[in-house]
Amino acid sequence: MSRRPGTTTTAEEAWAALATNRGRQDPYPMYEAVRSQGPAVWLGPEKLVVVGYEECDQALRDTRLHVQDAARYDASAPAWRDHSSLRAFTSSMLYSNPPDHTRLRAVVGFAFTPPKIRRLRSVIEEMTDRLLDRMAALGTTGAAVDLIAEFASRLPVAVISTMLGFPEQDQIWFRDMASTIAVSTDGFRDAAALERADRAMDEMTAYFTDLADRRRREPHDDLVTHLVHTHDDDPRRLGHDELMGTLMVLLTAGFETTSFLVGHGALLALQQPTLAERLRAEPDFVTGYVEEILRFEPPVHVTSRWAAADTELPGTAVPAGTRLTLILAAANRDARRFADPDRFDPDRRDNRPLSFGAGGHFCLGAPLARLEAQIALPRLFARFPRLTATEPPVYRDRWVVRGLEAFPVTVTA
């Protein structure tokens, strides 16, 4: 058992707790229990859990450490092909290694360059203000309004739907379906949830297929049209399953993580009212504020790698075949990298969290997520200076991607 003198929870016990609802609701004590054994802890002969910042950063950049792709799933869990939600994600860049990852990323990368994202500012500002108007109308009588359902999730799904070319009337359906499918990123932990994810993925695939056919007949200036033409021109560059998987990943990654980023930003400002005041009064404050949210309460807590060849992390030899769980949320609170890591400090200097990853799989949508949060949070608190929580927020019962499911607030005095 991995226990050091003076500790009360072993690394194995902490790991097991993360599979429970209680552990997922507040995973940070579990991360520290693992960290008490070191920055990289063996939980089996081929299972390494990494919680150190330097160690996670190096692992993310090491080309000998691969993501779990289809071939690896075939070797470790052959039944994965029975699940359409897993097949969709595994057909995307998210679960691909070079050269496939490089090819798939290039197909959509042009749409997420910083200059392209900056040109979306006015569109995001307009969408934000429309949603704030909606919140004001819903809260006119003093009734509670769900900040997540009515704002934090509606904004990013509207933005990515506009980029992709999804009809506005379908956006909330997309949001709900994508949330159902996204639980499959937690793997095989919950069989019932995985079954629901498969059914939702089947519906989404039928929708995507129909939309692709419509774009063939009537092209638009959107990502769906671009992806369909790429597939039709050269299926070797983008196969049919890869087209479906790419659409699914862009939709899911394009809204859920940003929704959690905005939701956490609102919660933290309500917990410390001086932060809300600074968001209203200091235009430049939001940049550091969003980076600190990403460090302190990142939407993505965990990613994984496996060693395709022998390699090493600082102080740890990693033999080929090792499965690595990289807990990014723990790395972001590593005291060796961040002073007073459990304190939320938007004025923190040299703040470079690992929340969007690093290396070849660095998140393509990072500039978009940052921009949406930087626009949404100051506008939210400027529009509703007396924004008040009516009850504690509710977290989703998930771990890999973690955030608020509901957060009731009042928008009037």
Side-chain angles (χ1 to χ4, degrees):
M1 300 288 280
S2 302
R3 189 196 305 270
R4 282 183 178 174
T7 64
T8 58
T9 303
T10 68
E12 291 86 354
E13 289 166 346
W15 180 257
L18 290 169
T20 68
N21 174 266
R22 182 178 179 182
R24 290 191 294 265
Q25 289 297 305
D26 183 14
Y28 291 101
M30 303 304 105
Y31 300 161
E32 292 310 309
V34 175
R35 195 194 312 280
S36 71
Q37 318 306 316
V41 179
W42 292 99
L43 294 185
E46 295 183 341
K47 185 173 184 177
L48 185 64
V49 178
V50 186
V51 294
Y53 181 95
E54 181 184 2
E55 292 76 13
C56 279
D57 186 48
Q58 182 169 316
L60 291 166
R61 300 174 190 276
D62 191 332
T63 57
R64 291 164 294 188
L65 298 179
H66 291 188
V67 300
Q68 181 106 335
D69 58 10
R72 183 65 179 176
Y73 265 124
D74 284 339
S76 63
W80 76 274
R81 291 189 182 272
D82 297 336
H83 300 282
S84 56
S85 57
L86 293 176
R87 293 198 307 270
F89 281 114
T90 309
S91 297
S92 74
M93 72 184 88
L94 197 64
Y95 292 104
S96 299
N97 294 294
D100 289 337
H101 175 263
T102 308
R103 170 176 56 84
L104 293 172
R105 191 177 176 102
V107 169
V108 296
F110 77 97
F112 292 90
T113 62
K116 285 281 184 73
I117 298 304
R118 284 194 293 269
R119 286 198 284 272
L120 288 172
R121 174 175 285 276
S122 61
V123 174
I124 298 171
E125 290 173 343
E126 179 183 351
M127 290 177 173
T128 299
D129 291 341
R130 284 172 52 194
L131 290 172
L132 294 175
D133 288 344
R134 174 185 168 84
M135 284 185 66
L138 291 171
T140 299
T141 63
V145 178
D146 187 345
L147 180 68
I148 306 303
E150 301 300 337
F151 184 64
S153 68
R154 281 181 180 262
L155 176 61
V157 79
V159 173
I160 195 62
S161 293
T162 298
M163 294 177 67
L164 286 164
F166 294 156
E168 183 174 356
Q169 65 268 20
D170 294 338
Q171 289 176 6
I172 300 307
W173 180 76
F174 285 137
R175 180 193 67 186
D176 296 343
M177 295 293 281
S179 292
T180 301
I181 294 166
V183 300
S184 63
T185 59
D186 277 4
F188 297 90
R189 287 176 179 269
D190 187 332
L194 188 55
E195 183 179 346
R196 291 191 295 272
D198 291 340
R199 289 197 300 268
M201 188 64 234
D202 293 342
E203 287 189 53
M204 289 291 286
T205 299
Y207 183 97
F208 289 156
T209 300
D210 178 68
L211 181 60
D213 289 340
R214 281 184 277 148
R215 288 295 186 268
R216 288 184 177 99
R217 296 191 300 268
E218 299 179 12
H220 289 197
D221 183 18
D222 58 35
L223 261 175
V224 171
T225 301
H226 167 77
L227 292 171
V228 168
H229 284 173
T230 299
H231 164 66
D232 292 350
D233 290 344
D234 186 358
R236 293 171 300 178
R237 189 177 178 206
L238 184 68
H240 175 76
D241 290 346
E242 292 170 337
L243 170 61
M244 296 295 113
T246 296
L247 288 172
M248 188 63 248
V249 164
L250 289 175
L251 176 60
T252 304
F255 95 86
E256 193 172 49
T257 53
T258 307
S259 170
F260 294 163
L261 175 60
V262 173
H264 279 138
L267 174 62
L268 288 160
L270 288 177
Q271 291 173 336
Q272 301 180 56
T274 57
L275 300 178
E277 181 55 39
R278 292 186 69 183
L279 286 169
R280 285 190 289 269
E282 302 175 31
D284 294 335
F285 175 67
V286 70
T287 301
Y289 187 77
V290 168
E291 289 308 297
E292 182 67 346
I293 303 167
L294 288 166
R295 184 196 71 82
F296 190 77
E297 282 286 11
V300 177
H301 273 226
V302 184
T303 190
S304 63
R305 295 290 189 270
W306 69 277
D310 290 348
T311 186
E312 61 181 33
L313 300 179
T316 302
V318 181
T322 300
R323 293 170 295 152
L324 296 90
T325 299
L326 311 179
I327 305 183
L328 306 180
N332 286 345
R333 296 198 186 192
D334 186 343
R336 299 175 305 163
R337 174 60 179 80
F338 300 100
D340 200 2
D342 293 324
R343 181 169 65 92
F344 184 76
D345 179 12
D347 297 311
R348 189 180 296 275
R349 299 293 183 89
D350 190 30
N351 193 5
R352 288 180 286 176
L354 295 176
S355 309
F356 290 121
H361 277 267
F362 182 80
C363 178
L364 198 62
L368 180 60
R370 284 187 168 105
L371 181 62
E372 290 182 50
Q374 289 167 4
I375 290 171
L377 290 166
R379 277 176 137 74
L380 171 68
F381 286 100
R383 180 66 182 273
F384 303 123
R386 290 182 292 277
L387 189 74
T388 305
T390 61
E391 55 186 276
V394 176
Y395 274 88
R396 292 193 180 175
D397 184 20
R398 289 173 56 197
W399 179 41
V400 173
V401 181
R402 180 176 180 270
L404 302 181
E405 182 170 22
F407 189 15
V409 298
T410 55
V411 297
T412 58

